[in-house]
Amino acid sequence: MFIEKFTRLVHKHLNTPSFRLFTLLTNDPLQKAVIREIRHGIWKSDVVNWEKFGCEGRLWGTKGQLLSWLYDPVNMCWCELNQVNDHLSALVISEEQDNWECDLREVQGFAASKDMYDPFSNLKAFVELMAPGLLTPVTPEKLKENLAHAERRILQDNEPHSFSRWTWDGRVFIENIDGSHHLAAAIVQAEQLNVPVRLNGRLRTYRLNPAALACLRRDFDMYVVSSEPKQANALHTAIKDYKAPYSEVPLPFPYTKQRALMLPKENNRSVKISNILSGAGFQDLAVYLDNLARPSDC
């Protein structure tokens, strides 16, 4: 009799939504999708655009979008909602500064090039492979020739320069239209000759907003999970069975196989899921973003 009661008790426990959710999150390693630092390239498109976090969704052109699910106990149904969160909208601040000055040697990347689909870790490697003839001879005259090349309209005196910088990346990118080969050669030669070349223009800086992040951390626990269909569907089903509300936000490129799972701290069921995720070693997105919000430079 005791064995039969014990067996029924164990079977009942193993069939509870909470246990099935626990089993899924702890036994499926593919549910975890840790953000891996990407190799920094010289193209602006290589920078992770956290300013686009929360911009993908059904509300075209709207920032701070959350795709949310919650259980309606009155109608006893599961509801899908498109929501806008003001704190997520304000997570990244964009600032413009006119008449900003820098030295040519501070520029470390470009907005455009016919070779921008090829990976390069630095400008010297880029020009050595794509246009080595522009690097010799290493003389002030050759530097001036590269700077004056008609292909590079961005450096003509009658056109303003434009620069971009993301504080979590730290580098300065010039918003060029063309002329990447000659510009890269000029930067390399200016470094070799130790010759200053002053640039002036408009700088757009993107930075994470610690106040907005603090508000998100106050309201949600945020974890990085897989966005692969099999894992996403299994997790959605398990949370739905548990009747816990949650939201999700796709991560920006290149993290297209990951998403943010946002669990409201005001709901006890969501808090229990958060405890399971934390205990299973899922990456805390809030901690990751908090570290990005503290750049060493800029």
Side-chain angles (χ1 to χ4, degrees):
M1 182 66 69
F2 173 77
I3 295 178
E4 291 179 359
K5 289 184 178 180
F6 179 76
T7 302
R8 285 197 298 269
L9 180 62
V10 171
H11 185 266
K12 181 179 178 180
H13 175 70
L14 293 178
N15 278 297
T16 60
S18 60
F19 187 81
R20 290 196 296 270
L21 178 62
F22 174 83
T23 302
L24 173 69
L25 294 176
T26 55
N27 290 351
D28 183 0
L30 296 180
Q31 287 290 346
K32 291 183 184 178
V34 177
I35 295 176
R36 306 292 183 187
E37 292 295 329
I38 62 171
R39 183 171 60 90
H40 286 179
I42 63 172
W43 314 122
K44 185 178 80 169
S45 58
D46 292 331
V47 179
V48 180
N49 294 143
W50 284 105
E51 71 273 18
K52 296 180 180 179
F53 182 50
C55 293
E56 295 183 35
R58 299 173 183 174
L59 306 175
W60 179 257
T62 303
K63 298 177 64 176
Q65 295 186 59
L66 300 174
L67 183 57
S68 304
W69 285 270
L70 55 87
Y71 181 71
D72 181 355
V74 176
N75 297 308
M76 300 181 67
C77 64
W78 189 254
C79 302
E80 177 183 319
L81 300 174
N82 293 290
Q83 298 180 312
V84 175
N85 184 282
D86 291 338
H87 306 309
L88 184 59
S89 300
L91 182 60
V92 174
I93 301 171
S94 174
E95 303 167 334
E96 284 196 3
Q97 180 180 347
D98 291 324
N99 298 317
W100 182 76
E101 290 189 355
C102 74
D103 189 276
L104 176 66
R105 293 168 292 178
E106 296 177 55
V107 175
Q108 295 177 276
F110 305 135
S113 173
K114 59 187 177 184
D115 305 306
M116 64 185 300
Y117 297 106
D118 297 320
F120 293 95
S121 60
N122 58 73
L123 297 178
K124 190 170 187 291
F126 165 62
V127 72
E128 283 179 341
L129 182 63
M130 307 308 297
L134 299 179
L135 291 174
T136 56
V138 183
T139 63
E141 292 73 24
K142 186 64 176 179
L143 171 60
K144 291 179 181 179
E145 179 184 327
N146 282 322
L147 287 172
H149 195 278
E151 186 177 295
R152 282 174 302 98
R153 295 175 296 165
I154 55 169
L155 291 182
Q156 292 181 3
D157 292 337
N158 61 348
E159 293 188 12
H161 306 301
S162 184
F163 307 90
S164 296
R165 179 174 60 190
W166 291 259
T167 57
W168 53 86
D169 178 89
R171 296 173 296 165
V172 174
F173 293 82
I174 193 164
E175 298 290 338
N176 65 309
I177 300 173
D178 54 20
S180 59
H181 291 172
H182 286 79
L183 181 56
I187 294 171
V188 172
Q189 288 191 321
E191 291 175 343
Q192 292 172 331
L193 295 168
N194 195 26
V195 174
V197 179
R198 301 305 299 170
L199 300 178
N200 179 282
R202 177 181 292 115
L203 171 68
R204 180 182 290 272
T205 300
Y206 299 91
R207 65 179 76 252
L208 284 160
N209 181 358
L213 180 57
C215 290
L216 286 173
R217 298 186 74 171
R218 178 198 64 202
D219 298 336
F220 298 95
D221 286 326
M222 300 185 287
Y223 295 93
V224 179
V225 298
S226 173
S227 61
E228 294 288 358
K230 180 179 179 181
Q231 278 68 41
N233 290 335
L235 182 57
H236 174 74
T237 299
I239 297 178
K240 180 180 178 181
D241 289 345
Y242 193 53
K243 296 183 175 60
Y246 78 97
S247 301
E248 66 173 37
V249 185
L251 295 189
F253 181 84
Y255 306 127
T256 55
K257 295 184 178 181
Q258 293 127 303
R259 60 197 169 114
L261 183 72
M262 305 182 66
L263 300 162
K265 291 184 175 181
E266 65 180 7
N267 184 275
N268 291 334
R269 289 178 178 267
S270 296
V271 170
K272 290 180 180 179
I273 295 176
S274 176
N275 292 336
I276 295 173
L277 287 163
S278 178
F282 279 71
Q283 186 176 21
D284 189 320
L285 180 61
V287 172
Y288 180 84
L289 292 176
D290 189 54
N291 290 331
L292 289 186
R294 305 174 187 178
S296 55
D297 298 314
C298 306

